[in-house]
Amino acid sequence: MAKQLKKKIDQTTEEKIKIAARKLFTRKGFAAVKTRDIAEEAGINLALLNYYFRSKEKLFKLIMEESFLQFVKGIAEQFNDENTNIDEKIEKLVESYIDLFSQYPDLPLFILSELREHPDAFSSRLDAVTGISRSVFVKQIREAMKNGVYPEMHTFHFLANMMSLIVFPFIGSPMLMKITDISVKQYQEMIQERKKMIPIWIKAMLKSNAYKLIK
Amino acid sequence: MAKQLKKKIDQTTEEKIKIAARKLFTRKGFAAVKTRDIAEEAGINLALLNYYFRSKEKLFKLIMEESFLQFVKGIAEQFNDENTNIDEKIEKLVESYIDLFSQYPDLPLFILSELREHPDAFSSRLDAVTGISRSVFVKQIREAMKNGVYPEMHTFHFLANMMSLIVFPFIGSPMLMKITDISVKQYQEMIQERKKMIPIWIKAMLKSNAYKLIK
DNA sequence: GTCTATATTCTGATAGAC
DNA sequence: GTCTATCAGAATATAGAC
């Protein structure tokens, strides 16, 4: 307790501003956040924001960059691990992302919104993501389909389905909680349940042979 | 051709403004859109915006309301149709939403963002949505689980999974296209494929018995 | 490094002519 | 109904004292 309190007090002004900015930007986006909001949230003077980060836009890009890194961090390694099989990769991926988003629930919508409005802003950082299509993971999947372990399914559908099952409960939480009339506590339990259920569902979808059934 | 052209010319100023506002608001959100942007996009004078809609906020709320209605329109009827079974309901729902979002790709992210930032702004309109939990559809699902046709699964997971599979390819399209390196044309084909595949996947997930497997 | 006061630009809205 | 010109307030950024 004392430690955490101390840590908060020990934060440099620069850190305070970044923390406040991250909170507000990820929640409301660039345009909806005023520099005064950030200053107030951080408990500092407005002028200090420009002193440390030159401009609102520069601060935003910094936060953006860091959030994006957080988003893709670990993907490359997990996707290219030669020592784990498909099932293990899926399980690891699902778990680490659900943990990440449980801690930062606004992160997915923020990234997706930004990527939608500025699709080319991340071409540099997106290398890690683009590499996915050439990753060990995708190769393993394709191999398994060739060998008949899994029926054919385009990588697009596979990745879309996996990401959607992980991400949607976070970006749609207000709607889902309202519709199903559950408490915050129950919601969090559901999210935890999904760590084990999503891998099972993904395998079930893979095996469903949907590609041939629709022809 | 002539007809469509004529229609565009025949649009009243009020309609022009609404169309421009819908396009920009759904794409960038309230704060990021300037009234001058709307006026330019609509090809009209800035003053006319206030003449017709009084203020930016009133115009936004109008667009919001209409978009939300578009989003929930038809749900209530489809969910409460006594003459269709579970499978038919899922198929209809998936198809009509994929068609809707194909036409308005920015709609899902817009609604989800708004609902996240102003969870209570739609309590009135959300009745239609809230009614889902008491709908014939949900009753049919629960019935099927009781009778052993389907294994047990919480409504939260069922709805979350169904919505996610429909919605995510639209809100994550830039990322997905980049990762899987497909063209816009291929992307649209994938989306169309999903109309038939999602119902199959949903059934496969239902039957996977994930709930018992995780215990 | 931090603050107060202020400059500057942007933005929503309106007045008044046509 | 539509336009030009303009106002009032908001929001970003900086100057200069401490």
Side-chain angles (χ1 to χ4, degrees), chain A residues 140-203:
Chain A
Q140 285 176 325
I141 296 276
R142 285 187 181 143
E143 201 71 21
M145 288 175 187
K146 251 183 207 162
N147 299 342
V149 178
Y150 287 128
E152 192 191 352
M153 183 192 289
H154 195 287
T155 315
F156 176 89
H157 293 303
F158 176 74
L159 289 175
N161 292 353
M162 187 170 65
M163 292 168 96
S164 72
L165 290 179
I166 295 172
V167 157
F168 189 80
F170 293 98
I171 62 184
S173 60
M175 180 180 282
L176 285 169
M177 286 173 68
K178 208 136 205 169
I179 292 176
T180 58
D181 192 30
I182 59 173
S183 66
V184 175
K185 191 167 177 293
Q186 283 173 307
Y187 168 77
Q188 286 163 344
E189 285 169 9
M190 299 282 171
I191 294 291
Q192 289 306 312
E193 277 178 8
R194 293 179 74 85
K195 280 187 191 171
K196 303 238 173 194
M197 293 169 79
I198 289 175
I200 298 172
W201 289 329
I202 292 176
K203 271 176 264 179

Side-chain angles (χ1 to χ4, degrees), chain A residues 6-181:
Chain A
K6 187 144 180 294
K7 191 168 183 185
K8 180 150 192 180
I9 291 168
D10 280 353
Q11 278 166 353
T12 65
T13 302
E14 197 175 344
E15 280 169 343
K16 280 188 210 160
I17 297 173
K18 267 176 70 175
I19 291 168
R22 177 183 314 279
K23 179 177 168 185
L24 294 178
F25 279 144
T26 52
R27 184 176 299 167
K28 314 209 288 179
F30 177 77
V33 174
K34 315 300 164 205
T35 50
R36 282 172 171 77
D37 301 339
I38 299 175
E40 191 185 357
E41 174 75 30
I44 55 101
N45 188 281
L46 173 60
L48 290 174
L49 192 149
N50 294 82
Y51 174 77
Y52 281 105
F53 300 96
R54 301 253 328 146
S55 75
K56 180 190 175 188
E57 203 177 341
K58 282 206 170 63
L59 175 56
F60 179 76
K61 283 187 177 164
L62 190 72
I63 300 295
M64 211 29 250
E65 188 84 1
E66 287 187 11
S67 297
F68 196 73
L69 266 178
Q70 201 173 19
F71 196 72
V72 300
K73 188 179 62 185
I75 291 197
E77 295 94 79
Q78 284 185 32
F79 268 64
N80 284 310
D81 191 339
E82 302 268 4
N83 299 315
T84 55
N85 61 29
I86 298 177
D87 292 358
E88 290 164 336
K89 281 194 183 62
I90 293 175
E91 282 166 23
K92 268 195 167 179
L93 204 80
V94 169
E95 191 176 354
S96 57
Y97 269 111
I98 286 184
D99 282 340
L100 177 65
F101 298 150
S102 294
Q103 204 179 346
Y104 306 100
D106 294 321
L107 195 57
L109 200 60
F110 178 60
I111 299 282
L112 289 169
S113 301
E114 275 307 311
L115 223 51
R116 198 167 183 76
E117 214 171 332
H118 313 288
D120 304 316
F122 305 95
S123 40
S124 59
R125 291 294 178 192
L126 217 62
D127 292 346
V129 178
T130 318
I132 290 174
S133 60
R134 295 181 303 277
S135 67
V136 174
F137 184 37
V138 172
K139 271 181 198 136
Q140 285 176 325
I141 296 276
R142 285 187 181 143
E143 201 71 21
M145 288 175 187
K146 251 183 207 162
N147 299 342
V149 178
Y150 287 128
E152 192 191 352
M153 183 192 289
H154 195 287
T155 315
F156 176 89
H157 293 303
F158 176 74
L159 289 175
N161 292 353
M162 187 170 65
M163 292 168 96
S164 72
L165 290 179
I166 295 172
V167 157
F168 189 80
F170 293 98
I171 62 184
S173 60
M175 180 180 282
L176 285 169
M177 286 173 68
K178 208 136 205 169
I179 292 176
T180 58
D181 192 30

